[in-house]
Amino acid sequence: MSTTTPTLSAPSRHHYKARGLELPAEERLVETSQELLAHCRELDAAGRAYVLVGDGQHLRYSLAGAVALRTEGMDRILSIDRHSGLVQAEAGVRWRDLQDALYAEGLSAGGYALMPSTATLGGLLARFRPGPKTLGMGSLRDGCVALSAFSPKSGSYEYLAAPRKAAGPDLRYLFIGAEGRHGPILEATLVARRPLESELLIFEGLGLAEALALLEAVYRAGLRWQWIHYGARAERLQMALSAPGALLRGQIRWIEANLRLPDAHLDVEGLRARRRWLEDRHPARRAHSRAERSSGLWCTARALQNPPLDRSTPGVEDLTITAFTPDRVELVVEHNAPLDVPMPGVIARWPLRQSLPLDPPATTEPS
């Protein structure tokens, strides 16, 4: 059952403060979709502002004066089909828990880009991600084949995985990437993969320009990694490749012959352990100790080079790249001074701990 807490408990206050979030006027803990819908209808009718809060990692709107609807209780994994590779889960399930459930069934979410391990599925899908789709390059929203959601104005919505012609109009992208402006995502169905032979290539001593050049060369050659991670301070690029054995070995030989020899290799188990370690320390986590002085950026690869944005830029301490195409690089910049660098080619930029004002009378925002 749901719980209404007019006066926030000490753990609740810590939850918000650790993420740089303002305290809500009221907090309600939600365990089922039916409870969530009931709260949304009640608050809409009363004209009260509310915000959906999973783990709070991607929350950009102010909680001051709003009702926080905490969705971590909506954490059931509803089904996993090993034959089709489809997994259906409630929006409050955490990313790490979803991966562990798939691993236990012989499936993998390793084809998706690195995500904060504690972020909720609904929050990951609903967060704003500017620029074109990146099918086959780790995009979670492209792997979402079905979802159910709720709009306060038009009611319940469900898009089925199959048969497509019987599912009605495809309105998924009213909710995916919309930051809850049209209502909460309740459940989602993702594509998982049967694990293939995989290897993590680690390149040391790469400056930002060298790392970008290597990534672009791999991309232009038609190779598609599972995920990447580049840290400018460490000058380390990690690239996870996965393919049937002979194809994987051919891709690695091409990189070694035409680009650069990796400084280290990790097999599939080492790759999985490294991914878990990186996701626990994902730079986009609002609870991260350095999140207060970090900004998320989406830009073209050229924007990072002309004019250059790197550790030589005044005030910049580190840059972490977690997704790459030549037309869209996704990165987090840690800086100890205002980031006032002119960057033609920037698609979007904002502080990780941004708190935008709520639009009256009611706004929903997943995380």
Side-chain angles (χ1 to χ4, degrees):
M1 296 298 293
S2 62
T3 303
T4 302
T5 314
T7 302
L8 299 181
S9 65
S12 289
R13 291 197 300 272
H14 175 76
H15 178 91
Y16 298 108
K17 290 180 178 179
R19 291 155 179 78
L21 296 168
E22 297 170 296
L23 296 180
E26 182 183 339
E27 179 186 67
R28 303 185 185 184
L29 308 181
V30 180
E31 296 183 356
T32 67
S33 297
Q34 290 73 24
E35 289 181 30
L36 179 58
L37 296 186
H39 286 306
C40 289
R41 291 189 178 104
E42 173 200 333
L43 295 169
D44 279 320
R48 298 185 64 186
Y50 59 91
V51 180
L52 269 71
V53 181
D55 190 66
Q57 299 300 346
H58 305 295
L59 208 61
R60 292 204 299 136
Y61 286 88
S62 171
L63 282 162
V67 177
L69 300 179
R70 294 275 296 273
T71 62
E72 300 104 312
M74 296 171 53
D75 60 354
R76 293 185 303 152
I77 295 174
L78 303 173
S79 65
I80 298 177
D81 190 326
R82 287 180 290 179
H83 298 288
S84 66
L86 297 180
V87 52
Q88 183 183 16
E90 291 182 323
V93 67
R94 295 181 187 270
W95 180 240
R96 170 60 51 78
D97 295 337
L98 181 65
Q99 290 186 85
D100 288 344
L102 289 172
Y103 183 75
E105 294 293 332
L107 295 173
S108 171
Y112 295 112
L114 299 176
M115 315 283 182
S117 59
T118 58
T120 59
L121 177 59
L124 289 170
L125 288 170
R127 66 172 173 157
F128 176 56
R129 293 177 61 85
K133 294 183 181 181
T134 52
L135 185 62
M137 299 295 288
S139 173
L140 187 68
R141 65 181 186 177
D142 293 340
C144 177
V145 297
L147 61 76
S148 62
F150 172 77
S151 169
K153 294 183 178 179
S154 57
S156 297
Y157 168 75
E158 185 170 8
Y159 184 76
L160 304 176
R164 298 302 175 114
K165 64 182 181 181
D170 182 2
L171 303 179
R172 285 175 297 164
Y173 288 92
L174 286 179
F175 301 96
I176 295 176
E179 300 191 320
R181 308 302 289 182
H182 302 296
I185 295 172
L186 306 176
E187 300 170 3
T189 301
L190 299 181
V191 175
R193 298 179 179 177
R194 295 181 182 275
L196 297 172
E197 189 172 338
S198 302
E199 195 160 325
L200 182 66
L201 309 184
I202 303 175
F203 303 89
E204 303 282 3
L206 285 183
L208 179 61
E210 294 175 291
L212 291 172
L214 191 150
L215 287 169
E216 182 156 0
V218 173
Y219 181 88
R220 299 293 186 193
L223 279 64
R224 295 295 180 259
W225 49 75
Q226 282 189 299
W227 54 266
I228 60 164
H229 183 278
Y230 174 74
R233 179 185 296 167
E235 294 191 330
R236 178 183 299 117
L237 172 63
Q238 302 179 69
M239 180 185 301
L241 298 176
S242 179
L247 179 57
L248 175 64
R249 290 187 289 274
Q251 292 176 342
I252 295 173
R253 284 196 300 270
W254 186 91
I255 292 173
E256 292 176 339
N258 295 279
L259 300 177
R260 174 171 169 156
L261 289 173
D263 294 280
H265 297 255
L266 292 180
D267 62 14
V268 63
E269 287 303 318
L271 184 158
R272 181 171 181 265
R274 180 63 61 90
R275 179 187 179 105
R276 293 171 70 88
W277 191 90
L278 291 171
E279 290 193 325
D280 283 340
R281 295 157 181 81
H282 198 288
R285 289 187 66 176
R286 286 187 68 136
H288 195 287
S289 60
R290 299 192 297 272
E292 188 171 357
R293 57 180 187 268
S294 298
S295 295
L297 275 82
W298 288 263
C299 62
T300 63
R302 186 175 297 275
L304 293 174
Q305 302 174 27
N306 186 27
L309 173 65
D310 55 28
R311 292 194 66 211
S312 68
T313 304
V316 171
E317 296 181 355
D318 202 2
L319 298 92
T320 304
I321 296 175
T322 56
F324 175 92
T325 70
D327 296 327
R328 188 183 72 176
V329 182
E330 183 174 333
L331 68 155
V332 173
V333 181
E334 297 175 25
H335 48 96
N336 56 24
L339 194 61
D340 296 325
V341 182
M343 293 176 60
V346 170
I347 302 168
R349 177 175 73 184
W350 52 67
L352 288 187
R353 288 190 173 180
Q354 190 174 29
S355 293
L356 299 176
L358 288 169
D359 296 331
T363 301
T364 58
E365 163 79 12
S367 174

